[in-house]
Amino acid sequence: MRVTLRRWSTEDLPVLERANTPEMTKHLGGPETAEQVVARHARYLRLWEAGDAHMFRIDVDGEPAGAIGWWHVEHDGRPAYETGWGVEPRWQGHGVASEALRQLIADVRADGERDLLVAYPGVDNPGSNALCRRAGFALTGSNTMPWRGAELTFNIWVLDMSPLDLTGREPDVDERFDEGVLDEKLWWPFYTPQWSSRERTAARYTVGAPGLELRIEADTPPWAPDLDGDLRVSHLQTGQLSGSRGSGDGQHRFRPGLVVREEQPDRLLWLPRFGVIEARLAAIRHPSAMVALWPIGFEERPDDCGEICIAEIFGSELDDTGGWVGVGVKPQNDPRLRADFEKVRVEGDLTEFHDFAVEWTPERLRFFIDHRWVKTVAQTIDYPVQIMLDVYEFPPEGGERDAAALPHRFRVAWVRSYPPPPAR
C-alpha cells in the first residue's frame, strides 16, 4: 500500500464532498452545507497560491483516500503551523493517516519558516489523539469554543520543531580525538567481540587532529562470517558487557540464538543517560559503505537494549545534491519500545562534515541535523547507553569487492555529550 500526498487541485472537490458525512464529521459538529464545502475547496486553492497553506489530497495506490494540510496560525502569540486531516472510512485503521502525517511533517520541515506545529482534535476523537501522540506531539491542555452552531471541546497538541539550543550548556565529555592515541577511558575499539573475537572485530583507525578516521582496508576480515557473511566493520564503542563463554548474554543481540564465543571484560566507560549527544561526521559515497552513530542500551538488564539512531547513512543513498539520513528509535529486543525510524532528506554534500544530535529527555527524543530539528520520537529510553561509531562494508551483489575504492574512511571530528539541564 503506497500512500502519497498530491497538491490540492481544482479536481478535488469530490474528496471534500465524500468527507462531508455524519460519520466523517461526527467529531467536528456535523456536516457543512453544500455551499460551505464549495467555499472550503476554493479556500484550499487560494491559500496555497498565497503561500499561507499547503493542502493535499491523500492517495492510496493512486486512489483518493482523504485530505491533509497545514496553514499559518498564531498559537499563544507565537507563529505556528496548524494541521488537520481526514481519511475515508474504508482506509482507516491501515496506517494511512500516520504515513500522511509523517509526509506532511516533512513538508512543514522543508518550508522551515516556523518552528511549531499544532493540532486540535476533539477530545472524543481517540484515533486523531493517538495519531498526534505517535507523531511526537505533546499534549499541553484542552479548550472549548463555538463551532458549527454548537460547542467543540478539543485537545491542544504541539510539536516543537525549534532548533537545538545549547546556549549556556557545557559538555561533560568533549572528545576531539586530538591526543594522538585513543582514549581507552572512553572507547573500546572492538565491534561486539563477544559474538566473534577481538581479533576479527578490532577497529582500524587513526586519531589526531583533525579527529578520528575509522577505516575498512583491503585486508579487514569479515567480522563474523558464519553469522553475518562477508560484512566488514570498523567500530568504536563506549562500553562492553557480556556473559561467560557459551551463554547468550551480551549486547546488541542482532539475531536469535547468539552465543558468547569469547568472554570479554566489562567496560563501563562513557554511558550517558538523558541530555544531548552530538557528533560531527562525514559519510562515504560508495554503494557498499554505510556509516552510523548509534547509542544503544548498555544492557545491564536484557530488556535495556533499545537503539537511538542519531545518524545512519548509506553510501548508496547519496547523490550530487545530498542524501538520506536515518534517524529515530529501534527497539532491538526492548519490548517496551516500538520502531519509530525514518530517513530524512538532507541537501548538501554529506561526505563533508555535518553535525548530528539527539536531545534526550525522560519523555521524548528530538533529532537534529546541523542543529535544525528533523524528528521527534515520543518514547522514553530510561537507561544508560553506550555510544557506537561504525563504518560497514556490505558485500557487493556481484561478489567482487571494489578494491580501487579501499580503504573506506569514516571521518569523525568530535563527539560530545551534555548532561540534562538542572531541574527548575
Side-chain angles (χ1 to χ4, degrees), residues 169-196:
R169 296 175 67 174
E170 294 294 329
D172 51 4
V173 177
D174 186 358
E175 169 63 290
R176 296 178 177 270
F177 304 103
D178 56 1
E179 297 297 323
V181 294
L182 190 69
D183 186 347
E184 294 185 359
K185 297 188 301 295
L186 296 178
W187 301 102
W188 177 245
F190 304 95
Y191 179 64
T192 58
Q194 68 273 9
W195 309 131
S196 178

Side-chain angles (χ1 to χ4, degrees), residues 97-418:
S98 292
E99 176 58 20
L101 182 56
R102 187 194 68 79
Q103 293 184 33
L104 180 114
I105 291 171
D107 188 71
V108 168
R109 184 171 60 229
D111 184 76
E113 291 186 358
R114 304 180 177 205
D115 59 17
L116 188 69
L117 179 63
V118 298
Y120 306 118
V123 295
D124 58 348
N125 187 340
S128 287
N129 283 284
L131 178 59
C132 289
R133 185 179 297 106
R134 288 195 303 271
F137 289 70
L139 179 62
T140 62
S142 60
N143 206 344
T144 300
M145 64 179 291
W147 188 259
R148 296 187 187 177
E151 292 215 325
L152 176 67
T153 301
F154 55 90
N155 283 325
I156 302 168
W157 292 91
V158 300
L159 181 64
D160 180 6
M161 303 181 296
S162 59
L164 179 63
D165 183 5
L166 295 171
T167 304
R169 296 175 67 174
E170 294 294 329
D172 51 4
V173 177
D174 186 358
E175 169 63 290
R176 296 178 177 270
F177 304 103
D178 56 1
E179 297 297 323
V181 294
L182 190 69
D183 186 347
E184 294 185 359
K185 297 188 301 295
L186 296 178
W187 301 102
W188 177 245
F190 304 95
Y191 179 64
T192 58
Q194 68 273 9
W195 309 131
S196 178
S197 69
R198 269 183 274 177
E199 180 181 7
R200 278 196 168 272
T201 63
R204 310 285 181 95
Y205 65 89
T206 54
V207 290
L212 166 72
E213 181 182 273
L214 281 168
R215 294 187 305 277
I216 294 180
E217 300 171 324
D219 61 345
T220 298
W223 83 279
D226 61 324
L227 298 174
D228 236 358
D230 285 334
L231 182 70
R232 292 168 167 84
V233 187
S234 196
H235 161 100
L236 302 181
Q237 59 191 59
T238 63
Q240 173 63 54
L241 188 70
S242 68
S244 59
R245 189 170 184 266
S247 76
D249 301 328
Q251 300 156 313
H252 199 43
R253 289 163 285 133
F254 62 94
R255 61 187 293 177
L258 291 174
V259 172
V260 172
R261 296 175 175 178
E262 185 178 283
E263 189 169 343
Q264 304 297 323
D266 292 347
R267 292 283 190 274
L268 285 76
L269 304 174
W270 180 9
L271 305 175
R273 179 173 170 267
F274 304 134
V276 172
I277 302 171
E278 182 183 29
R280 179 167 291 172
L281 317 173
I284 302 167
R285 188 176 175 182
H286 188 277
S288 294
M290 187 266 274
V291 301
L293 170 61
W294 291 326
I296 69 166
F298 184 64
E299 294 192 50
E300 289 184 288
R301 297 177 298 183
D303 285 350
D304 293 350
C305 57
E307 174 188 313
I308 303 171
C309 183
I310 301 176
E312 180 180 283
I313 310 172
F314 287 84
S316 59
E317 296 179 342
L318 305 185
D319 54 45
D320 291 340
T321 61
W324 295 90
V325 178
V327 299
V329 167
K330 300 178 184 180
Q332 300 301 349
N333 297 296
D334 187 339
R336 299 159 295 189
L337 298 177
R338 60 177 176 84
D340 192 346
F341 173 86
E342 67 178 287
K343 293 184 179 182
V344 175
R345 177 73 186 182
V346 177
E347 299 304 319
D349 186 355
L350 285 169
T351 66
E352 297 297 329
F353 284 114
H354 291 264
D355 295 348
F356 303 89
V358 65
E359 185 178 56
W360 174 20
T361 72
E363 296 77 33
R364 64 195 67 248
L365 299 110
R366 300 175 70 229
F367 294 87
F368 305 87
I369 299 175
D370 295 324
H371 284 215
R372 185 182 179 192
W373 175 91
V374 295
K375 183 177 177 63
T376 296
V377 173
Q379 298 185 68
T380 184
I381 292 179
D382 190 4
Y383 41 79
V385 297
Q386 64 184 38
I387 298 170
M388 315 269 278
L389 283 170
D390 310 87
V391 54
Y392 292 85
E393 183 193 17
F394 295 95
E397 290 185 7
E400 187 82 20
R401 294 178 76 198
D402 184 0
L406 298 172
H408 295 307
R409 304 174 187 270
F410 177 28
R411 295 179 296 143
V412 182
W414 44 258
V415 186
R416 301 169 180 156
S417 64
Y418 295 77

